[in-house]
Amino acid sequence: MIESDVFCQALQDIGFDFFTGVPDVLLAGVIETLIERRLYTPAVREDEAVAVAAGAFMAGKVPAVLMANAGVGNSLNTLASLNLLYRQPCLLIIAWRGFDGKDAPEHLVMGRTVTQVLETVRIPHRTLSEQTAPDDFRWVAQTFMKERIPVALLLKSGVVRGIQP
Amino acid sequence: MQSRARAIQAVLDLVSDQPVIICNGFASREAFKVKDRPENFYMTGSMGMAAAIGLGVALHKPQKKVVVLDGDGNVLMGLGTMATVGALKPKNFIHVVLDNEAYGSGGNQPSYSRVVKLDQVAKAAGYVNVERVREREDLVYEFKDMLGKDGPSLLLVKITEQVEDVPWVPLPPAQIAERFRKAIT
Ligand SMILES: Cc1ncc(C[n+]2csc(CCOP(=O)(O)OP(=O)(O)O)c2C)c(N)n1
Ligand SMILES: [Mg+2]
């Protein structure tokens, strides 16, 4: 299991210096660490969060947005018509609720389809694991600025500490 | 009362190097025609998100006043952002709502701003200065005042339903963003 502060530090080392989003219980440890480090500004919706991230990027920040996969649905139009269209990169840190069909019923449809939704709008994604973490972070750093579009890192339950449902 | 284009003109004549984020629909198209400038961000999609984009800029450019030119339908769609602005209280945030009580760019259907007072919503959310104006001279007076003081501020401008004959913003979106980013650094 990756510790929350190790996870946050890895992102800070890449250059991420502004975090916003809407909580999911899987992200509670990460958000707690980000709040301690005074790096987190809460949003009320995920579309708002990705739009704030676009504004922050144009103002010189390197933004990341935390959300549950339900938030991919909430933010899809803004991702498509703002972040992708205007080439405003941000890292989407997505709690993959409903992975493998094992979760509360409301997560099952998005849990089954989230990667396909991302692929349909051409948002590159990768699923974090402890074994591949250094590689995953390197992939984030490279893809993010090269493509100048949002990229997504999916977090399953139990991969980062403090995020058991 | 004045048209949306006249109200946009009044605001753009009063700013110097301040970033201005303009909501989707005719507002962006008219702003481009009235006074294109690199510090204008023309939002063409993401309805409801102009204030959120402006907030992201304002949080990281505290030395610049950031102006959002919004529409009533846009504000209603992204209403939650009024809470975020009211809670975070960026001093440099000026929210101008061009209120024709209609989805002007969607075929002019009535919006709920006819009955829901968006200035009162802003006040309840925690905006520091809130004004409602109809006439151009009042718009000029209040906007100048807001440029000079700490916000967040909201200026509700009642406008007519008149629409200019304007094309789509002819700039590629990625170019709008890159030009804006460079202009505000
Ligand atoms: C998510 C979404 N829904 C609907 C539309 C269609 N649409 C574009 S502009 C607009 C109306 C905007 O209304 P308002 O903010 O009041 O601006 P106005 O046109 O009245 O100046 C609508 C409904 C859209 N672009 N995006
Ligand atoms: Mg309107």
Side-chain angles (χ1 to χ4, degrees):
Chain A
M1 188 155 347
I2 304 168
E3 299 298 329
S4 292
D5 57 342
V6 172
F7 178 80
C8 294
Q9 194 57 50
L11 295 177
Q12 283 181 261
D13 290 346
I14 293 173
F16 292 99
D17 56 3
F18 175 68
F19 295 80
T20 181
V22 179
D24 180 84
V25 66
L26 292 189
L27 301 169
V30 173
I31 292 175
E32 191 181 284
T33 305
L34 291 171
I35 290 173
E36 274 166 19
R37 296 182 183 198
R38 299 182 169 280
L39 290 168
Y40 184 70
T41 305
V44 297
R45 284 182 53 98
E46 294 83 357
D47 51 1
E48 175 188 66
V50 297
V52 168
F57 181 78
M58 289 188 284
K61 302 301 272 190
V62 184
V65 178
L66 296 105
M67 61 173 76
N69 53 2
V72 175
N74 270 2
S75 59
L76 194 59
N77 177 57
T78 300
L79 286 168
S81 66
L82 178 67
N83 305 74
L84 284 163
L85 186 68
Y86 287 74
R87 301 197 87 85
Q88 298 299 299
C90 61
L91 172 63
L92 307 174
I93 301 165
I94 301 170
W96 196 348
R97 303 299 304 271
F99 173 75
D100 245 2
K102 285 180 292 225
D103 209 326
E106 67 271 25
H107 297 299
L108 298 185
V109 174
M110 265 322 248
R112 180 161 43 81
T113 56
V114 64
T115 55
Q116 290 165 55
V117 171
L118 293 170
E119 282 156 23
T120 300
V121 296
R122 303 210 182 111
I123 292 179
H125 64 86
R126 191 149 167 153
T127 304
L128 182 70
S129 77
E130 194 175 357
Q131 296 73 30
T132 59
D135 231 31
D136 297 334
F137 290 124
R138 209 169 306 125
W139 173 86
V140 167
Q142 285 167 359
T143 319
F144 181 89
M145 274 323 282
K146 195 177 79 206
E147 310 263 346
R148 279 207 157 222
I149 53 172
V151 300
L153 194 60
L154 291 142
L155 270 59
K156 291 182 202 160
S157 175
V159 175
V160 179
R161 167 104 44 211
I163 58 172
Q164 292 89 336
Chain B
M1 247 183 349
Q2 59 203 310
S3 69
R4 181 179 39 233
R6 291 265 296 164
I8 290 170
Q9 171 116 52
V11 168
L12 291 179
D13 281 346
L14 289 170
V15 293
S16 50
D17 66 341
Q18 290 89 350
V20 179
I21 293 90
I22 306 137
C23 74
N24 74 331
F26 279 111
S28 265
R29 297 159 65 167
E30 290 176 351
F32 180 83
K33 187 185 180 188
V34 162
K35 194 174 195 172
D36 180 39
R37 53 202 274 288
E39 299 88 352
N40 284 1
F41 183 88
Y42 306 104
M43 188 183 87
T44 55
S46 60
M47 182 170 165
M49 293 299 126
I53 298 169
L55 177 62
V57 176
L59 291 174
H60 302 107
K61 293 281 173 197
Q63 72 287 7
K64 281 187 207 275
K65 280 276 192 300
V66 175
V67 179
V68 176
L69 285 177
D70 224 336
D72 52 303
N74 267 267
V75 169
L76 287 164
M77 187 173 280
L79 204 59
T81 298
M82 276 201 174
T84 311
V85 170
L88 295 175
K89 289 204 169 38
K91 289 182 178 155
N92 57 332
F93 187 86
I94 305 180
H95 201 165
V96 179
V97 181
L98 306 167
D99 183 9
N100 52 7
E101 303 183 355
Y103 296 93
S105 314
N108 232 23
Q109 304 84 347
S111 85
Y112 290 144
S113 80
R114 216 159 278 205
V115 283
V116 178
K117 307 295 172 213
L118 294 174
D119 49 338
Q120 289 175 26
V121 177
K123 213 173 261 177
Y127 281 62
V128 173
N129 316 299
V130 177
E131 297 293 340
R132 160 188 287 253
V133 296
R134 294 180 83 85
E135 305 308 326
R136 188 185 172 89
E137 65 213 55
D138 299 323
L139 161 60
V140 169
Y141 178 86
E142 295 296 349
F143 184 73
K144 261 192 193 160
D145 190 46
M146 287 174 177
L147 274 178
K149 64 185 182 192
D150 284 352
S153 303
L154 181 125
L155 183 55
L156 187 88
V157 186
K158 287 290 177 185
I159 56 165
T160 65
E161 292 181 350
Q162 191 189 321
V163 172
E164 298 295 309
D165 183 15
V166 281
W168 285 328
V169 176
L171 309 172
Q175 192 183 317
I176 293 172
E178 188 57 16
R179 188 178 80 143
F180 178 84
R181 190 182 65 78
K182 285 193 181 127
I184 65 166
T185 45

